Amino acid sequence: CSDEKLAEINEDPNRPGNVPTPTILLTAEKQIMDNIRNENFSLRGTMLFAQYYSQNIYTDQSRYDIPRSYSDVFWANSYKALNNLNQIIKLNTDELTKSVASAGTAGSNANQIAIARILKAFTFHSLTDVFGDVPYESYGNKDPEFEALQQNPDNYTPVYASQEKIYVDILNELKAAGDTLLKYKGQNTFGSSDIIYAGSNEKWAKFAQSLRLRLSTRIRVKLPAVSEEHFSDALAKGVFTSNADNAAFKYSSGAPNEAPLYRATVTANRKDFAVSHVLVNVLKGELGPFKTADPRLPRYALPNERQIYIGQPYGLPLEAGGINGPTAISLPGAIVNAPDFAEVLQEYAEVAFLIAEYNNWDDASYRKGVEASLTKWGIDGATAKSYADALPAANKENVLTQKYLALYTQGLEAWSEIRRTGYPIFLVKPGDVVWSRQTENGIVNYTFQPIFGNGIPKRLYYPNKEQNVNREHYQQALARQGDDVITTALWWNK
Amino acid sequence: TVLDENTQPIAGASVLVKNTTQGTQTKSDGTFSLEVADNSVLVISYVGYQPKEVVVGDEQKIQVSLVPDNQLSEVVVTALGIKREKKALGYVVQDVSGDVLNTRPTNALSAISGKVAGLQIIPSGGNMGGSTRVLLRGIKSITGNNQPLYVIDGTPIDNADLNTASTIGGSAGKDVGNMIQDLNPDDIENISVLKGPSAALYGSRAANGVILITTKKGNNKEKTEISLNTGIELEQIVRLPKRQKLYGQGYSTEFPQATINGTTYNIVDYAADESWGPRLDGTPVLHWYNLDPGYPEYLNPEPWLYPEHDVNYFFRTGIANTNNLAIAGSSGKTSYRLSYTNKNVRGTVPNASLGRNTLSFSGSTGLGKVTISSNLNYVKNNSTGRPWTGASNRNIMLEAFQWGGVQVDYKKLSDYKRPDGTPRPWNRTGYRDTPGDRATRFIDNPYWSAYESYLEESRDRLYGNVGVSAPINSWLNLSGKVYADIYQYQYQDRIAVYSRSQSMYQEYSNNFHEFNYEFLATANKQWTDFSLSGLVGGNIRDANRRVSDLQTGGPLVVPNYYDLRNSSGILANNGHGLFREQVYSIFGSFSAGWKNMLYLDGTLRNDWWSTLPTNNNSFYYPSLTSSFVFSELEGIRNIPWIDYAKFRLGWAEVGNGAAPYSLAQLYSSLPAFNGQPSYTQPDIMNNPNLKPELTSTWETGFEFQLFKNRLGLDVTYYNNRSRNQTIAVPTSDAFGYQQKFLNAGLITNKGFEVILTGAPIKNDRFEWNSSVNWSLNRNKIARLYEGISTLELNNTLVSLVAQEGESYGQIRGYDFVYAPDGQRVVQEDGTYLRTSQMTDLGTVLPDYLVGFQNSFKYKNFTLGFLIDARVGGHFFSQTYKVGMYAGILDRTAANNIRETGIVVDGVKADVQFNPDGSYNVTNTRPNDTRISAQTWARNEYNGPTTFSVFDATFVKLREITLGYNFQLKPDGVIKTLGINAYGRNLWNIYTKSKYIDPEFTNSGGNIQGIEGGNLPIPATYGLNVNVKF
């Protein structure tokens, strides 16, 4: 039998060897969103850390017993998306494939690369905010410490880059990619395969600049000069100016592409995620600096069966978690729980709050941010304006607390901001009584007692798989950053 | 003419005139002709038979019958079905006669457990088939299946493991078993186990050894023999984890209360599917079944007690009924055997059943010089309701031993459906009569899962061969054969509407065919002191698998209608597709013998694989083995107590290809998003530069038969090295792919096998035969790959890894932190501290295996028993871990712990963890913090993993058999009549782990030692009646 015949038998009939780059972009966008809003990582992780949600059964995660498998999945899926984005870059770079990659409506090589770089920046930023030092890779910077995603020659055990280097490089990547897209802002890239912006270069450019605001604010204390340089440059080049600019991934109503919360509740047929008493009480005006009813409450939460809003007490001990059945408390609102919910990467309200902070708690930006948040949730302009107008003046607490309210559903970013700023100050702390219940034997007080750690986690554990297959570099990262526990602060939070 | 003991002609027997060189060989019909002087003495000899001397007178024709040699010249089946004298072999072949299959297990292989040294068999629980893991001489392939090749009458049989990754990892699924379960015990004549270099001629798939199965054939006796074998077997689920009986469902010792229609009742805490609730003291309470209007018990509180019918009520006695009818006979040059077996099984869980029909034919006929032979088997399997494993809502082990309320009465549960078609769960969402509260909260009623959400399987399989064989002259023979193995396996899985999980329907089908085309030329020649035989041959293997795996995309729309179109979409699952491979091979071998004392065998084989890169797809591998029967030496031959002594030495190499489609980098498709296509880079990176794997083995040993064959000893040492294994090596995910196909690894297996056989008592009336099989295997991962020192095998329930410098299958997890004086460190809250990095918690491989087999014969009675032991090794138990968390296991209620709490053994201390995983413990002080039972039990769940890792040592009475053969008149209608009673797995003489039976498997694959909710191996009792006409 000839070699040709044998080789032909081994040609895989089930999988293609070449596909158009927009089909890979769609995959990467969905992988990023699925991952950051994953049922475990988000709903049993960051959404609890931010105390937006509260578990009404199996309250272990709300008390910070976080299975390490959450880390394995989040980590693996992040790099999977990154590898797909790198493949788009490779196909647009390699002389053999670049002309095919840009054929038809896919967009120019340079624009495809720029959009891939922005999504990579977003993904690495999420990764480092969760773990700290992680293996990193950069399109524009061949720093020898950046060993992730190295194929041909392969590097199966990349070193962890320091968070400081990662932050600086992400900012540079966003700047470079944003500049490219600004230059070709009239062009369209990836077309309808781009679920986030339907291919608008101009909007991608604004997203790159807006992310720079977020990242440079995060490291302002650590690297004031770098922070200032990027913030002012991004502002000058044009950031989000309205909700029309928001970066969001709108899910589909068709199985299996529904939004993560929908799949975790309706598809999985569970009701484990309730809105926490912290958020409900704040929105009612009973807790926190704002003493008025917030029109977002009916959007964020469902009333219980008696048509009133009751938040599930956050972080109850196991034996009390289920006393309020799912029909007695507020579950996530109908918009949030819709199959085609648009999950946000970044939105205008956040940008307005970042500008307010940058301008020393500027009142105008603060009120714009609040109005934008309300209208984004479908509240009419007049109601939104009157709510915003009635708020107390901008100051650190008010701006950061309104930002917290606006970041609802974006668990990771809310958690990162809580870690950075310490606001809002009304969040439940260990030892706080979260619920007092009248029983036949008198009043029972339930206090918040974490199983692990001593407060809101500072980070997540590294994945078990890294301990198994990349142990040497994992241990190097610990030597630099601190032990692999949830109480170790990240570089920008030290 | 030279005839054998059955008056069949012997071809190739040597006929020599004594003290001369004159001689000849017999032809295929056993005849020879030789002109000799009167009164010459002819010496007639043939392998396996005692030589005979005949004085020739003046007769024209003589007929000589040869008598088989004693057991020293036992003939065994070796590679390619070639029969050889055992003494001529330079390697160990251990064979097991079909008689041991009297216990007729559903999976034939489970009957040879403990009977072959170096063979480890881990059966799956139950009579519903399921995986049997067979391991010969340890693990050679790191991630491959390590299963030996099965060859039935020359036909290589596919033994693919069709289980999903999550089933294999123990996390959830159903063990559909490997494909060798289709073998019918009633048709097996003999099982030969080829362990070392002996398998080289079979090529790559034989790297893990070969299990050669010879089926029963026609008897060549010019008469028709009819045999009937009928049997019944009962099976009982035993050795379940012990549940506590003192506290019921709930989290708190007090009952919640509810006011219904103005009356206040105690109710059950429906938020809990755990048993930390109120003491079972008889307090009246509204149980789940008191909450459905329309039932007589509605709103009628009943006492809170341990139930009359606990989970044992759910399990029923399994019944298997097997009938076999076989007709065998011959006429002239034609012989045949036809056999039909029917097996009907009622499983040990409700709605579980299996039916198997096997039709088997073998025959041969002579047309002139040409012999045509064929062997065909057709098997039809159907099963319903196969039990589930792991964290599946349909697994009774999860429903009752990991989670649950121990007060639940299973007889009450068996009334599982309301008139409106919805389930009646013990685990309601709430107490009120609303659709939301009536729905199941976490765990389905097990009867609902069994009768509404079950799996249906069917498998049709045809395997066998057709061949022709023709002698060219007295020493050369040509043959050609076609071997086929064709099956269609399919299942339909369903989750009913109103179940806890979203309803769905899945259709899976796996169509496989493999053809082997084989040509052989064999030659045989004998001289006075010297014999030589050889063969050359070629083989083409063509294997083809098409998998269709579709399931509904959204929930089912119409209840009780199971069709892919009954939902919003159809999804194709991973694994859907077409898989093909071909291997072309040529091979040759020779065997030379001198004076029945020295033997040398060699083989060489070259393969061309479709799955390897074209520049690397051809490779060859040799073997050389020798045997020295030193009891034939003059000095030893005269020692009366030595009957036989042999030394053997062998070496072999076996190569292997890769899995199909492991070379070129390709994209995987994902479900379209709003009509937009979606493609992704795969999780595993392919490798266009793969090379063949190589396994080489050294083997040496001694064999003795002493004291008139009353004592036998066989000792083997082997050293096995596997290198360049094609492994999907797990990489850091930050590489971009989760795994990459690499030629990695050097794994060594060294070991001893000792077989001691004896006949302590042997006389006309009473006979006692005994044998001990002892084997030890030391496995070591010598090298993995540059930059990679740990290979992660599984990381779902627990980490299981292969690490350089250690043995395969290391469990890793979080250990206790120990103070310098060895005491465990306790945290400020009174629970045990765990290490912050994972550490080794033990290997899953055993230290050694022992089988001790005895058979007694007294007059017409036979009695036998087998003790099977495994010493060493560890396993992880998810059932224990969760059963502690949920307050199910009896430990959680022992010693009044729920009332008094506990101060755990250990010290408080200051602990500093270092980046390399080590730690410093200082400032130790006594622990006096009393914690509640719940806190204590949950620390076993989320604290040190060590709590859930157990020693796997066991000693089991594996089998006991009692038979009686009636004494019948030889000329009667019934020729033989025998009754055989047996029991299997009746008694665990010793198990080191007290909660979980250490013997379990999720699949035939390499991921072992992870218990995820397995049904324990049941006890079986059976009776067989065997009649021959």
Side-chain angles (χ1 to χ4, degrees), chain B residues 430-543:
Chain B
Y431 68 87
R432 289 164 313 172
D433 188 37
T434 61
D437 274 18
R438 279 196 297 261
T440 307
R441 181 136 195 203
F442 295 110
I443 296 174
D444 282 316
N445 178 326
Y447 288 93
W448 170 270
S449 339
Y451 287 105
E452 304 287 332
S453 300
Y454 56 88
L455 182 78
E456 281 180 300
E457 287 177 295
S458 74
R459 186 165 57 247
D460 288 272
R461 186 170 196 163
L462 180 70
Y463 65 89
N465 60 68
V466 181
V468 292
S469 163
I472 300 302
N473 54 35
S474 66
W475 55 271
L476 182 65
N477 190 74
L478 297 182
S479 70
K481 273 191 174 176
V482 180
Y483 300 98
D485 178 15
I486 302 164
Y487 64 78
Q488 183 185 44
Y489 169 63
Q490 56 187 32
Y491 67 74
Q492 295 87 45
D493 192 14
R494 60 193 60 187
I495 295 179
V497 176
Y498 310 122
S499 296
R500 226 293 291 138
S501 308
Q502 180 174 277
S503 57
M504 70 97 188
Y505 175 66
Q506 180 191 9
E507 282 188 357
Y508 173 93
S509 117
N510 189 315
N511 288 285
F512 176 79
H513 65 246
E514 173 174 322
F515 291 99
N516 278 275
Y517 308 91
E518 181 189 273
F519 167 79
L520 279 183
T522 53
N524 247 306
K525 199 122 173 105
Q526 294 228 351
W527 295 270
T528 317
D529 286 337
F530 194 66
S531 67
L532 184 67
S533 64
L535 69 84
V536 291
N539 189 83
I540 300 172
R541 176 154 76 90
D542 181 11

Side-chain angles (χ1 to χ4, degrees), chain B residues 762-870:
Chain B
K762 195 172 189 174
N763 58 42
D764 293 344
R765 295 173 63 193
F766 187 72
E767 201 176 307
W768 172 22
N769 286 298
S770 187
S771 71
V772 177
N773 286 304
W774 179 89
S775 63
L776 169 152
N777 182 75
R778 287 293 171 263
N779 168 287
K780 190 173 165 186
I781 315 281
R783 193 176 65 242
L784 278 172
Y785 198 80
E786 200 189 328
I788 297 175
S789 58
T790 303
L791 201 125
E792 186 178 78
L793 304 166
N794 198 268
N795 187 18
T796 44
L797 298 179
V798 72
S799 270
L800 188 69
V801 301
Q803 297 186 113
E804 263 182 22
E806 291 182 7
S807 69
Y808 183 91
Q810 185 66 237
I811 298 172
R812 277 175 69 79
Y814 300 92
D815 199 358
F816 294 101
V817 172
Y818 293 96
D821 63 355
Q823 296 214 69
R824 295 167 172 178
V825 173
V826 178
Q827 304 178 90
E828 281 312 306
D829 65 6
T831 61
Y832 287 115
L833 178 65
R834 65 182 187 192
T835 54
S836 85
Q837 291 185 36
M838 293 193 291
T839 165
D840 292 356
L841 298 178
T843 168
V844 300
L845 297 183
D847 295 336
Y848 58 89
L849 305 171
V850 188
F852 178 43
Q853 194 176 6
N854 283 282
S855 65
F856 305 91
K857 209 171 181 176
Y858 175 70
K859 292 184 176 170
N860 297 326
F861 287 97
T862 55
L863 173 71
F865 69 89
L866 170 67
I867 290 171
D868 202 355
R870 168 195 159 120

Side-chain angles (χ1 to χ4, degrees), chain B residues 177-342:
Chain B
N178 33 18
M179 296 298 112
I180 198 66
Q181 60 182 304
D182 287 338
L183 206 55
N184 181 16
D186 284 317
D187 290 332
I188 296 175
E189 173 80 34
N190 179 277
I191 298 176
S192 248
V193 181
L194 310 189
K195 288 184 274 198
S198 53
L201 207 51
Y202 274 110
S204 51
R205 290 189 294 179
N208 298 309
V210 178
I211 294 191
L212 277 182
I213 291 151
T214 310
T215 62
K216 291 174 180 162
K217 301 286 181 334
N219 53 16
N220 289 343
K221 277 182 188 164
E222 290 287 339
K223 64 184 174 187
T224 304
E225 197 175 74
I226 298 172
S227 70
L228 186 66
N229 193 346
T230 180
I232 189 154
E233 179 178 283
L234 304 179
E235 180 171 271
Q236 266 179 333
I237 296 289
V238 289
R239 298 183 278 268
L240 287 161
K242 288 187 212 69
R243 306 201 307 171
Q244 55 92 2
K245 298 183 172 181
L246 299 176
Y247 304 87
Q249 183 180 355
Y251 285 122
S252 134
T253 50
E254 279 156 33
F255 288 101
Q257 295 192 323
T259 304
I260 304 173
N261 302 339
T263 313
T264 300
Y265 301 94
N266 285 326
I267 58 165
V268 182
D269 180 357
Y270 289 106
D273 54 351
E274 303 181 27
S275 291
W276 292 106
R279 199 172 176 104
L280 294 164
D281 59 0
T283 306
V285 60
L286 284 183
H287 292 259
W288 58 274
Y289 53 85
N290 303 128
L291 296 170
D292 280 331
Y295 286 80
E297 310 97 319
Y298 182 56
L299 294 186
N300 189 13
E302 294 183 31
W304 184 248
L305 287 171
Y306 192 76
E308 189 185 344
H309 303 283
D310 70 4
V311 63
N312 289 299
Y313 181 84
F314 183 78
F315 297 106
R316 50 185 199 181
T317 302
I319 302 172
N321 176 262
T322 313
N323 299 294
N324 169 261
L325 178 69
I327 303 171
S330 70
S331 159
K333 288 180 167 179
T334 301
S335 68
Y336 64 91
R337 181 176 183 271
L338 186 66
S339 145
Y340 168 71
T341 308
N342 166 271

Side-chain angles (χ1 to χ4, degrees), chain A residues 27 57-58 154 268 305 466, chain B residues 271 273 432 500 679 732 740:
Chain A
T27 303
I57 183 76
Y58 293 114
D154 297 337
E305 61 181 351
E466 284 291 299
Chain B
D273 54 351
R432 289 164 313 172
R500 226 293 291 138
Y679 286 95
S732 167
K740 178 168 182 177

